[in-house]
Amino acid sequence: MTAKITEQQVRESLSAIDIDGKQQDLIASGLVSGVVVKDGHVSISMQVDPHNPDAIEPIKRTAEEVIRALPGVLSATAMLTAHRDAPAKAEKPAPESRLHQPAKHLIAVASGKGGVGKSTTAINLAVALQKLGQNVAILDADIYGPSLPKLLGTNARPTSANNKIVPIEAHGLTAMSIGFMMEEDAPTIWRGPMVMSALEQMLRDVEWGAPDILIIDMPPGTGDAQLTLAQRTTLAGAVIVSTPQDLALIDARKGLNMFHKVNVPVLGIVENMSYFICPNCQTQHDIFSRGGAEAEAKRLNVPFLGAIPLEMEIRAGSDKGEPITISNPDSPHGKTYFAVAEKLLAGLD
Ligand SMILES: Nc1ncnc2c1ncn2[C@@H]1O[C@H](COP(=O)(O)OP(=O)(O)OP(=O)(O)O)[C@@H](O)[C@H]1O
Ligand SMILES: [Mg+2]
């Protein structure tokens, strides 16, 4: 059995690479901002000079080759990151700063508030759309708290080919998440402006194929990731997830306004954890007083896409990496996702 590759060994191998014209090795140059090793899979992050982004390419290739040649290494991926100031709000981006459009329709699943069920909704919508005949990919835009590996029940590592990152295939979906690239408990090396770079790289350097729809599971709130996507890609629109409580709705409105401000259409609102059907007596309980999102959607003149019940099996499916739309699609609660997906599709073209 070969010995396990360590971060130290990776750093040592990188410090043997001399950079032309810098009289320095790769580590001393400070270009490498992070090294993460997990079960023989190595990812490193490298700083790109935003004024000369091409200069890094040969260095990146050499670094990947050198790491790959180390005993015990199964894959090596270099992520490029750039320190750049966030674009000013609602600023019209220059054409060259547009990002590559990885799918025909980019749909962001968002909310103003955390924990309302964006990721659960995103994965089940993706599966439902796929089962309705669409070619679907899913991108986890949550760099700090990625959830796709868990939702899909896979710890697979992306490989690279022809300078592109080969995404993960699971449950019929093409998937990418920063969580596939780093250890679950790894310190977050993607900080501040790097969040945008990691997101940009996942849009640009991943071999997405040509999906009809890319579902983007957004981090909570209205931060950099939202702005980057809204301003630098052409989003088909946003799906806003909300729970029925008033407070969540206030937050949902924040999310909604943010997309309005940057001219991204809101494709509709989904009310999650809308009601509870008692498994013993089959009575419906409106725990958070149901219907708030539907009324709000009417008031704001955006489509209401449907209500998803609070259901143990939905939660359990997410925890065991098998979304309800896979494990029990014909259950009453499974069907609610298909109804939402159909409405969403109808509103797309
Ligand atoms: N309809 C539902 N019924 C039961 N449990 C649900 C439902 N929707 C989401 N959950 C559970 O609620 C928790 C939060 O959901 P999820 O992670 O999808 O939210 P999120 O909005 O993506 O959170 P974050 O803001 O942290 O990204 C999870 O444990 C999930 O399994
Ligand atoms: Mg989430």
Side-chain angles (χ1 to χ4, degrees):
M1 204 184 133
T2 40
K4 264 195 150 181
I5 180 82
T6 63
E7 180 183 333
Q8 186 57 30
Q9 288 168 310
V10 172
R11 287 189 182 272
E12 275 164 21
S13 74
L14 295 178
S15 64
I17 300 174
D18 286 321
I19 303 178
D20 287 346
K22 277 215 169 183
Q23 321 279 307
Q24 264 181 336
D25 68 64
L26 186 49
I27 291 291
S29 69
L31 282 175
V32 175
S33 52
V35 175
V36 176
V37 178
K38 161 96 170 169
D39 301 335
H41 297 279
V42 180
S43 26
I44 66 171
S45 50
M46 296 175 84
Q47 302 286 329
V48 190
D49 175 0
H51 304 293
N52 189 10
D54 293 339
I56 197 83
E57 279 301 330
I59 307 173
K60 171 182 181 254
R61 270 196 299 277
T62 308
E64 285 177 339
E65 277 163 24
V66 164
I67 297 170
R68 244 174 248 136
L70 293 173
V73 169
L74 300 175
S75 73
T77 315
M79 302 278 281
L80 300 182
T81 63
H83 285 290
R84 228 175 282 163
D85 297 331
K89 281 193 181 145
E91 177 188 276
K92 267 250 167 353
E96 64 273 18
S97 76
R98 300 296 290 178
L99 289 168
H100 163 70
Q101 193 77 6
K104 202 157 119 201
H105 303 289
L106 270 56
I107 300 177
V109 177
S111 73
K113 189 184 157 206
V116 297
K118 286 175 297 299
S119 301
T120 307
T121 306
I123 189 70
N124 281 294
L125 273 186
V127 171
L129 288 165
Q130 193 261 123
K131 289 195 175 186
L132 290 172
Q134 302 292 311
N135 182 348
V136 184
I138 181 161
L139 167 65
D140 188 348
D142 200 335
I143 307 292
Y144 292 108
S147 39
L148 254 194
K150 187 171 168 205
L151 288 173
L152 289 172
T154 171
N155 278 318
R157 298 273 141 182
T159 50
S160 52
N162 304 324
N163 269 325
K164 285 271 194 180
I165 300 171
V166 183
I168 302 301
E169 300 286 331
H171 299 311
L173 304 172
T174 303
M176 189 60 201
S177 165
I178 196 86
F180 291 132
M181 315 280 287
M182 51 198 265
E183 278 180 75
E184 222 166 277
D185 52 359
T188 311
I189 55 172
W190 316 98
R191 295 184 197 286
M194 282 195 198
V195 169
M196 287 196 300
S197 313
L199 185 58
E200 284 175 28
Q201 184 167 25
M202 287 197 287
L203 289 164
R204 191 187 51 215
D205 293 348
V206 168
E207 194 58 80
W208 284 107
D212 304 311
I213 297 174
L214 178 67
I215 296 286
I216 308 174
D217 177 16
M218 301 298 291
T222 53
D224 280 351
Q226 282 75 0
L227 272 179
T228 296
L229 283 167
Q231 299 185 322
R232 306 200 41 207
T233 67
T234 304
L235 289 172
V239 169
I240 308 286
V241 179
S242 173
T243 57
Q245 299 103 308
D246 257 347
L247 189 67
L249 280 175
I250 291 168
D251 286 301
R253 222 170 294 154
K254 264 190 229 153
L256 208 119
N257 284 339
M258 189 246 134
F259 285 110
H260 274 319
K261 234 181 247 162
V262 286
N263 293 323
V264 172
V266 172
L267 297 170
I269 296 182
V270 174
E271 182 169 276
N272 190 34
M273 310 192 201
S274 178
Y275 53 93
F276 177 72
I277 302 200
C278 168
N280 297 321
C281 64
Q282 308 303 321
T283 317
Q284 178 169 322
H285 301 273
D286 296 342
I287 295 176
F288 299 117
S289 86
R290 189 187 178 187
E294 183 162 16
E296 186 68 11
K298 246 198 211 114
R299 209 180 64 76
L300 296 169
N301 204 19
V302 296
F304 181 68
L305 296 175
I308 311 289
L310 176 69
E311 163 60 48
M312 190 93 88
E313 213 184 344
I314 294 178
R315 207 255 324 128
S318 290
D319 281 351
K320 66 172 198 275
E322 206 170 84
I324 186 83
T325 39
I326 297 277
S327 62
N328 201 357
D330 297 327
S331 58
H333 39 282
K335 279 186 186 156
T336 57
Y337 286 110
F338 287 89
V340 170
E342 274 170 16
K343 242 184 153 170
L344 183 59
L345 266 187
L348 264 191
D349 285 323

